[in-house]
């Protein structure tokens, strides 16, 4: 009896997921469609004569931008970890004066609209000559992830048993040793979650890229898709092919790190 | 490297003592560990924010921007934007965009969370698939929706045509552009609501449901009398957080409609972006003024969220 009921639920779940993921399917479908069939009415529900011309057009022009996005993403991961992990340690396990205030500032920092930050960065970068530079974009993109990272590390490290820290101290380990050889190894999963999000946010960023890096040779993939749409509205198969490739990190994350993704979404909002 | 000696407690801590003393070490060591963050916040949050306020109270054109000798105009930029005919419409569009998005995101997210609460075959896998929209880069989602909503060749109009609805110019008509971006944004926000509400549901102990079912409550009654009230704190946090995030959305609207046609999908955030970066003539001062108004609105709701979360912790 119960088995029958759950089968019914599974069928419904599959239907819901299919509706939800239809845009993703459609993106893949269009990316494989011949240019001549793009405007056919009604549109083909399946790639009838699948072609890779969209992908080869993408390879011709978009490859460098994928490299730029990769570099920016990795740069953001390193920067975010380097700042967030020690700060989380200080806020959770050490006696940091004003820790609560800092916690509050971080919560508020996450609420500042990116447009406003972009204007501030633009004004600063104009003077410093950092516009259209890789470093400038890494710095700006990291502001999306750093407050989140600190809060996540703080929340996790607060749960580390004090006895462990005390024991390390008795063994003569200083704060730095304790951090490197005890706290960080235990916090490996948190570090993974923070890295995943820092990478994904930097990879997906559009606002900072379109304001701080719009004229340079170092264009990330989000911006290059945007420029592609602006320039040729007929080549939607190539646009969608680029979009498919730009979605690869998200797909990889979902397959290999789904646990950490769910942990990250929840961490910011709900205390367990 | 910060290998400063920590203040030696000298004694083996009993569990009780460890619990009382939450933190160890000297404050200076802690400050040293937090120093990169503090410097970072000052340089990359506080300073850009100060610059943005500075932009909004001066009259910056591109030239003054580089040379840094803009004329001080006080609150003139704020007065200008508030009295601009665009202000009421952008404010109303923002209210609609945020309000309608949140309503549907929350309702659909909650329905799905309740649906997935029961364990059935593949439930974990299917739930994971729902995360996809949230993980995709916005440019990908926005351009896919644009093409799906294309007037002549879009799949949505093709579906609607099959059931007898005439062609809708989703993105190119001022009547439907805001609806179009709201639909795409609802789709984007469902995963966030689903994940948080689902984890909220997990925290409701199972015996509460058992008690309800012993009392003979059906599924519908159980939801309205038990699940929904118990989920209220998590719901409030989800909606407030969603509100703060939705207020500042630029990319999805900008990529799909650029705030048009005829400003019909222009929200405050998009207006600010357009003034500063969207036209050939950057007008940073009014853009910063709009942006700062947006910050104030976001902070009001943001502080409500922080208060709520603090209360939850106690």
């Amino acid at each position: 009896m119960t088995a029958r009921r759950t089968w019914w639920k599974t069928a419904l779940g599959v239907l819901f997921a299919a509706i939800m993921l239809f845009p993703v399917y459609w993106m893949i479908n269009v990316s494989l469609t011949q240019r001549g069939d793009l405007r056919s009415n009604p549109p083909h529900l399946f790639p009838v004569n699948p072609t890779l011309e969209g992908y080869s057009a993408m390879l011709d022009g978009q490859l460098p931008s994928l490299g730029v996005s990769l570099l920016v993403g990795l740069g953001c991961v390193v920067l975010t970890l380097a700042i967030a992990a020690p700060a989380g340690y200080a806020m959770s396990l050490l006696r940091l004066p004003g820790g609560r205030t800092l916690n509050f500032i971080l919560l508020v920092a996450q609420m500042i609209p990116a447009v406003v930050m972009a204007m501030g960065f633009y004004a600063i970068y104009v003077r410093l000559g950092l516009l259209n530079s890789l470093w400038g974009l890494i710095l700006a993109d990291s502001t999306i992830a750093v407050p989140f990272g600190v809060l996540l590390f703080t929340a996790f490290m607060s749960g580390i048993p004090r006895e462990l820290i005390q024991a390390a101290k008795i063994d003569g380990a200083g704060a730095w040793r304790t951090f490197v050889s005890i706290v960080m190894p235990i916090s490996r999963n948190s570090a993974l979650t923070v890295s995943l999000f820092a990478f994904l946010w930097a990879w997906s960023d559009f606002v900072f890229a379109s304001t701080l890096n719009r004229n340079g040779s170092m264009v990330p993939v989000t911006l290059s898709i945007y420029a592609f749409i602006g320039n040729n509205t007929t080549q939607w198969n190539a646009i969608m092919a680029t979009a498919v490739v730009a979605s690869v990190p998200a797909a990889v994350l979902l397959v290999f790190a789904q646990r950490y993704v769910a942990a990250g979404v929840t961490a910011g909002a709900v205390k367990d | 490297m910060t290998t400063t000696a920590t203040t030696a407690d000298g004694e083996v801590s009993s569990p009780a003592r460890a619990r009382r003393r939450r933190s160890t070490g000297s404050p200076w060591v802690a400050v040293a560990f937090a120093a990169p963050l503090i410097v970072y916040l000052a340089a990359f949050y506080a300073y850009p924010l100060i610059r943005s306020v500075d932009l909004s109270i001066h009259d910056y054109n591109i030239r003054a921007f580089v040379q840094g000798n803009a004329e001080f105009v006080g609150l003139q930029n704020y007065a200008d934007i508030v009295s601009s005919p665009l202000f009421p419409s952008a404010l109303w569009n923002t209210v609609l965009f945020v309000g309608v998005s949140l309503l549907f995101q929350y309702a659909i997210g909650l329905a799905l969370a309740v649906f997935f609460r029961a364990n059935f075959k593949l439930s974990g896998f299917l739930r994971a698939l729902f995360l996809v929209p949230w993980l995709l880069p916005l440019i990908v989602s926005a351009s896919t929706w644009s093409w799906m909503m294309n007037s002549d060749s879009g799949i949505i109009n093709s579906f609607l045509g099959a059931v007898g609805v005439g062609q809708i110019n989703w993105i190119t008509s001022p009547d439907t552009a805001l609806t179009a971006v709201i639909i795409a944004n609802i789709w984007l926000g469902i995963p966030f609501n689903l994940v948080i509400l689902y984890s909220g549901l997990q925290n409701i102990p199972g015996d509460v449901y058992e008690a309800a079912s012993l009392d003979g409550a059906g599924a519908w009654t159980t939801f309205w009398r038990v699940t929904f009230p118990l989920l209220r704190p998590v719901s409030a946090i989800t909606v407030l957080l969603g509100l703060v995030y939705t207020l500042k959305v630029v990319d999805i609207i900008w990529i799909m409609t650029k705030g048009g046609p005829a400003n019909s999908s222009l929200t405050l955030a998009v207006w600010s972006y357009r003034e500063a970066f969207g036209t050939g003539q950057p007008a940073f001062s009014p853009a910063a003024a709009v942006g700062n108004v947006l910050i104030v609105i976001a902070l009001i709701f943001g502080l409500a969220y922080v208060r709520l979360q603090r209360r939850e912790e106690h």
Side-chain angles (χ1 to χ4, degrees):
Chain A
M1 181 197 100
T2 46
R4 220 167 121 205
R5 288 190 83 161
T6 57
W7 272 116
W8 171 78
K9 281 208 146 187
T10 304
L12 206 57
V14 170
L15 178 71
F16 289 156
I19 296 171
M20 190 70 178
L21 293 187
F22 182 79
V24 179
Y25 167 73
W26 200 246
M27 165 177 82
I28 298 169
N29 180 24
V30 172
S31 77
L32 294 169
T33 303
Q34 307 251 3
R35 202 155 160 188
D37 288 344
L38 283 170
R39 298 262 172 196
S40 69
N41 198 4
H44 296 305
L45 283 179
F46 309 97
V48 188
N49 303 306
T51 170
L52 291 177
E53 69 177 38
Y55 286 87
S56 69
M58 182 273 297
L59 283 179
D60 284 344
Q62 310 286 308
L63 219 47
S65 69
L66 287 167
V68 171
S69 285
L70 198 65
L71 280 178
V72 171
L74 293 176
C76 263
V77 170
V78 173
L79 187 62
T80 305
L81 285 181
I83 291 167
Y89 175 52
M91 286 172 69
S92 60
L93 297 168
L94 302 176
R95 208 185 302 145
L96 183 69
R100 265 182 87 82
T101 316
L102 194 56
N103 197 64
F104 177 76
I105 291 174
L106 288 168
L107 279 174
V108 171
Q110 288 180 298
M111 295 163 184
I112 299 167
V115 212
V116 181
M117 295 292 290
M119 268 181 270
F121 273 115
Y122 189 89
I124 297 165
Y125 283 8
V126 162
R127 294 282 192 78
L128 297 181
L130 272 172
L131 283 178
N132 303 318
S133 76
L134 212 55
W135 278 110
L137 192 57
I138 290 175
L139 277 176
D141 278 349
S142 72
T143 58
I144 314 172
V146 165
F148 164 83
V150 178
L151 293 174
L152 194 98
F153 274 121
T154 308
F156 179 81
M157 290 173 181
S158 303
I160 297 178
R162 312 283 141 171
E163 289 78 2
L164 220 56
I165 311 297
Q166 293 288 344
K169 194 193 279 176
I170 290 160
D171 288 347
W176 177 256
R177 269 295 296 278
T178 312
F179 174 63
V180 172
S181 30
I182 295 179
V183 174
M184 275 324 279
I186 297 178
S187 313
R188 208 183 52 221
N189 283 354
S190 300
L192 250 167
T193 306
V194 172
S195 306
L196 291 179
F197 278 88
F199 183 84
L200 198 64
W201 285 334
W203 176 274
S204 314
D205 162 69
F206 174 78
V207 172
F208 286 127
S210 70
T211 52
L212 304 175
N213 273 45
R214 49 185 175 167
N215 303 320
S217 50
M218 296 291 219
V219 169
V221 69
T222 49
L223 208 54
S224 116
I225 296 179
Y226 181 68
F228 209 175
I229 300 176
N231 290 339
N232 41 135
T233 39
T234 54
Q235 249 186 309
W236 274 90
N237 52 2
I239 295 171
M240 289 293 114
T242 318
V244 170
V245 176
S247 311
V248 166
V252 171
L253 286 192
L254 200 68
V255 174
F256 295 104
Q258 187 219 328
R259 201 153 57 96
Y260 305 108
V261 173
V265 182
T266 328
V270 192
K271 293 276 171 190
D272 284 328
Chain B
M1 232 166 262
T2 41
T3 40
T4 326
T6 50
T7 53
D9 240 337
E11 52 194 60
V12 183
S13 61
S14 66
R17 188 174 164 76
R19 225 175 293 127
R20 200 172 68 241
R21 293 205 38 155
R22 286 187 42 88
S23 324
T24 57
S26 104
W28 289 111
V29 178
V31 170
F33 274 94
L37 174 69
I38 293 163
V39 172
Y40 179 90
L41 285 177
F44 302 117
Y45 268 97
Y47 189 58
L49 270 182
I50 293 168
R51 282 299 276 144
S52 138
V53 172
D54 175 64
L55 285 174
S56 73
I57 54 173
H58 287 86
D59 182 21
Y60 271 98
N61 48 35
I62 258 294
R63 190 138 173 233
F65 209 76
V66 181
Q67 294 172 348
N69 55 353
E71 186 194 347
F72 177 78
V73 292
L75 293 177
Q76 191 54 46
N77 287 314
Y78 292 91
D80 286 350
I81 59 145
V82 172
S83 61
S84 145
L86 268 183
F87 187 76
S89 86
L91 191 63
W92 178 236
N93 285 342
T94 308
V95 170
L96 278 180
F97 180 74
V98 174
V100 178
S101 292
L102 286 184
L103 185 71
F104 281 93
Q105 287 172 358
Y106 175 76
I108 298 173
L110 180 59
L112 287 168
V114 171
F115 176 74
F116 279 110
R117 195 183 64 85
N119 271 324
F120 49 88
K121 258 207 163 69
L122 294 178
S123 63
F125 169 72
L126 291 172
R127 197 158 43 82
L129 287 183
F130 274 82
L131 286 173
V132 168
W134 193 75
L135 293 174
L136 292 181
L138 267 173
I139 181 88
V140 168
S141 323
S143 48
T144 305
W145 277 100
S146 290
W147 184 242
M148 284 171 51
M149 288 176 164
N150 186 286
S151 297
D152 305 313
S153 325
I155 182 71
I156 293 184
N157 274 349
S158 164
F159 273 143
L160 291 178
V163 295
V165 181
Q167 177 175 319
I168 299 175
N169 298 318
W170 289 103
I171 288 166
T172 47
S173 153
D175 300 327
T176 48
L178 188 62
T179 312
V181 292
I182 288 176
I183 291 174
N185 192 54
I186 291 170
W187 183 76
L188 286 168
I190 289 173
F192 175 77
N193 282 263
L194 168 61
V195 171
I196 294 184
L197 292 170
Y198 178 82
S199 88
L201 284 180
Q202 299 302 95
N203 289 343
I204 298 178
D207 38 359
V208 176
Y209 292 108
E210 263 169 52
S213 101
L214 281 180
D215 287 346
W220 189 249
T221 322
T222 310
F223 174 77
W224 284 111
R225 294 285 179 80
V226 179
T227 316
F228 196 65
L230 283 177
L231 207 59
R232 231 178 53 197
V234 178
S235 296
I237 283 175
T238 313
V239 171
L240 272 177
L241 211 55
L243 198 153
V244 173
Y245 288 150
T246 313
L247 267 179
K248 54 182 192 178
V249 165
V250 170
D251 13 25
I252 183 90
I253 301 179
W254 184 257
I255 295 162
M256 286 179 73
T257 67
K258 289 197 161 58
N263 302 318
S264 58
S265 56
L266 191 78
T267 61
L268 288 174
V270 176
W271 188 17
S272 172
Y273 181 88
R274 188 176 72 182
E275 289 290 323
F277 304 106
T279 62
Q281 244 82 54
F284 288 102
S285 293
V290 176
N292 294 337
V293 169
L294 197 62
I295 291 189
V296 172
I297 301 175
L299 281 190
I300 292 171
F301 291 104
L303 294 183
Y305 161 75
V306 172
R307 265 191 67 155
L308 202 72
Q309 209 201 27
R310 289 257 159 96
R311 205 186 310 156
E312 276 300 290
E313 281 173 32
H314 294 307

